[in-house]
Amino acid sequence: MSNEVNSEIQELVSDHKSLRDDFKELIIMAKEVEVKCVDPDVPKEISTFLLRFWVTIEALIQKEEGTIFPLILDDRVDESYGDIQEVLAVHRCFEKELQPLIDEVLNYEVATKSCDLWKNLVERTRLFVEDLQAHVKKEDRFLKKTIVIFDSESIDELDLELELELEVS
């Protein structure tokens, strides 16, 4: 596989590490908010929601890093094609299912009287959501480009096979 592809995959893996680290911080902050903030405007069980959301994201990251990226690097895109389609579909679901939540988080107005921990959590969540959205777009572009390259190579091979059959006939 080309150096460019290797570089793009390394960048995506680096993004995954940053997202993991940031998400762990969010969960820790959420637990702290739940314990220390007595503000009635603060939603309850934020950390539980974040943990459930994280399980979904982590499973996807593990599929990408454990299966898809190694196959792409090994020039075996055909074996990862179904997994890539699945990841792209999950990304689309994230977009549809999480957009209302994302909009709410990004547009959430924290009351000036709110607990500082809560204010910090809301701001860090905004930053995380923006980073996650940017990462998903970058990853989608990479995966779609990989599929297009694979599809065009498959079409070229198919054309070659058809030409050979016609010449033999």
Side-chain angles (χ1 to χ4, degrees):
M1 196 52 51
S2 74
N3 287 338
E4 180 186 341
V5 170
N6 189 30
S7 174
E8 288 180 85
I9 287 176
Q10 290 308 312
E11 187 176 334
L12 292 171
V13 170
S14 177
D15 287 353
H16 288 167
K17 182 181 178 346
S18 294
L19 290 169
R20 282 179 169 123
D21 292 346
D22 291 348
F23 211 94
K24 287 174 190 172
E25 283 183 36
L26 283 179
I27 292 169
I28 291 166
M29 288 176 77
K31 288 254 185 222
E32 193 175 0
V33 165
E34 290 169 355
V35 170
K36 295 182 179 177
C37 273
V38 291
D39 187 338
D41 293 332
V42 174
K44 303 299 177 218
E45 298 187 19
I46 304 163
S47 62
T48 303
F49 168 78
L50 290 173
L51 281 168
R52 274 189 260 146
F53 182 55
W54 180 245
V55 168
T56 304
I57 292 175
E58 181 61 28
L60 197 58
I61 288 173
Q62 286 184 18
K63 177 176 277 208
E64 293 163 0
E65 292 181 2
T67 304
I68 295 172
F69 296 163
L71 287 170
I72 291 171
L73 287 170
D74 201 27
D75 230 0
R76 295 167 36 210
V77 176
D78 57 324
E79 294 176 45
S80 66
Y81 191 83
D83 288 329
I84 291 172
Q85 293 288 12
E86 183 181 327
V87 166
L88 292 171
V90 170
H91 284 176
R92 283 190 303 276
C93 286
F94 276 170
E95 200 173 300
K96 288 177 188 165
E97 292 173 11
L98 295 176
Q99 198 59 52
L101 175 65
I102 289 168
D103 291 342
E104 190 172 317
V105 167
L106 295 179
N107 297 315
Y108 185 80
E109 296 279 336
V110 181
T112 52
K113 64 179 174 61
S114 288
C115 167
D116 286 341
L117 289 172
W118 173 237
K119 289 177 186 176
N120 290 337
L121 177 61
V122 169
E123 184 55 33
R124 290 298 306 265
T125 302
R126 276 190 188 114
L127 294 172
F128 177 81
V129 165
E130 290 168 356
D131 290 346
L132 180 62
Q133 286 178 307
H135 170 75
V136 167
K137 285 179 183 171
K138 183 191 318 180
E139 195 165 72
D140 279 358
R141 278 192 305 273
F142 171 76
L143 293 173
K144 287 175 182 176
K145 180 176 71 174
T146 302
I147 286 176
V148 166
I149 291 168
F150 170 71
D151 282 345
S152 67
E153 287 174 359
S154 297
I155 290 168
D156 290 344
E157 288 172 15
L158 180 61
D159 288 345
L160 181 61
E161 288 174 19
L162 287 174
E163 286 175 26
L164 288 175
E165 285 180 26
L166 290 175
E167 287 177 16
V168 173
S169 298

